[in-house]
Amino acid sequence: MHKLSNRLQKIVDLVPPVTCLADIGTDHAFVPIYLIQKKMIQHAVACDVAVGPLSIARTNIQAAQLDTQIATRLADGLLGLRPADQVDLAVIAGMGGQLITHILNAGSQQLQSISQLILEPNNDEPLVRQWLNDSGCWQIVAEAIVQDGRHNYEIIRAQKQEAVAALTPQEIMFGPFLLQEKSPVFRHKWQQQLTRTQLTLANLIRAQHLEPTKIAVAQQKLQKIEEII
């Protein structure tokens, strides 16, 4: 069994037992292969928009002898999913927050039959939480943050519900569960952000041509970070 990176391990740790999972942007298909081998899921659909990664995924799936349990699709986002797949949960990981929200918007029809999401944006995490908050039907039910190499990654698990509780601006920025837990990785990330924002603000103030709007944005961000550290 292939050893997963810290990031991928944290993603699979958040996956509940389901029948069928869709891995969007599957790359090497490590996530569905691992989950089937661990008997956490029965079937999977591995989708990627690029031919190269999908070819590697197929090779890995064949090597694991899981051809009958993992289907591969060359497709953009969720658009390769079919009603017959009966996907319970979609994993969308390893890409920017803007791209994730684009995929969710473009795949609105496919999302109608999906009950759970696991999202791992490499950046712009608040955009993803804002999308979930604005949807009116997706509730964040778990979060995790993990350090992998020099980077920190936030992972969000959301569940479709009839009634959802709105997030506060602070929860959208920092994550409702991450904010409650305030793990060492979380504190380290935001201490780094605090230092960078302080440096940015100092440079803006020292600049020959002052930019009041940018200064105000940096000051607001600094205040928000200081409130939670």
Side-chain angles (χ1 to χ4, degrees):
M1 184 181 295
H2 178 84
K3 179 174 172 55
L4 299 179
S5 65
N6 290 345
R7 178 180 70 89
L8 291 182
Q9 185 63 56
K10 190 63 72 171
I11 289 172
V12 299
D13 287 346
L14 279 183
V15 175
V18 294
T19 301
C20 185
L21 173 145
D23 187 24
I24 307 303
T26 193
D27 201 12
H28 293 75
F30 289 148
V31 166
I33 289 171
Y34 178 94
L35 290 168
I36 287 179
Q37 289 176 334
K38 288 290 186 178
K39 302 188 185 307
M40 292 292 293
I41 63 174
Q42 296 177 26
H43 303 281
V45 182
C47 301
D48 208 289
V49 72
V51 174
L54 197 65
S55 176
I56 295 172
R58 286 175 178 146
T59 299
N60 291 336
I61 291 165
Q62 289 168 359
Q65 299 182 330
L66 294 174
D67 310 60
T68 60
Q69 290 173 272
I70 305 177
T72 56
R73 308 264 170 82
L74 182 65
D76 188 358
L78 297 162
L79 301 182
L81 302 182
R82 306 163 187 165
D85 295 325
Q86 296 185 313
V87 171
D88 304 295
L89 182 152
V91 174
I92 310 176
M95 59 193 80
Q98 286 191 343
L99 180 53
I100 287 177
T101 58
H102 169 76
I103 287 172
L104 293 170
N105 284 325
S108 58
Q109 183 176 349
Q110 288 76 16
L111 282 178
Q112 290 178 12
S113 58
I114 294 173
S115 60
Q116 298 189 70
L117 294 170
I118 291 184
L119 310 172
E120 183 270 296
N122 291 344
N123 53 44
D124 291 329
E125 298 92 343
L127 280 181
V128 176
R129 293 193 191 96
Q130 188 68 61
W131 186 94
L132 294 168
N133 191 58
D134 293 344
S135 71
C137 63
W138 290 102
Q139 183 75 60
I140 296 176
V141 295
E143 290 179 304
I145 185 169
V146 62
Q147 185 171 355
D148 195 338
R150 298 173 61 184
H151 300 282
N152 297 315
Y153 299 97
E154 296 181 14
I155 304 151
I156 303 162
R157 179 179 157 204
Q159 189 168 309
K160 192 177 287 181
Q161 297 181 358
E162 290 186 6
V164 297
L167 299 176
T168 66
Q170 190 179 59
E171 288 173 331
I172 287 172
M173 181 170 180
F174 299 103
F177 290 90
L178 299 181
L179 197 55
Q180 287 181 10
E181 184 183 0
K182 290 187 179 178
S183 69
V185 177
F186 176 88
R187 291 181 182 277
H188 177 69
K189 171 183 176 173
W190 287 107
Q191 186 61 56
Q192 283 186 322
Q193 288 291 321
L194 181 70
T195 302
R196 289 172 185 165
T197 306
Q198 287 171 332
L199 181 60
T200 299
L201 182 58
N203 289 336
L204 286 169
I205 292 172
R206 285 199 303 265
Q208 187 173 359
H209 301 289
L210 293 179
E211 299 182 77
T213 302
K214 289 185 178 180
I215 290 174
V217 169
Q219 287 173 331
Q220 289 171 6
K221 183 176 181 180
L222 199 61
Q223 182 181 354
K224 290 175 182 177
I225 297 172
E226 288 173 338
E227 287 174 356
I228 62 98
I229 287 183

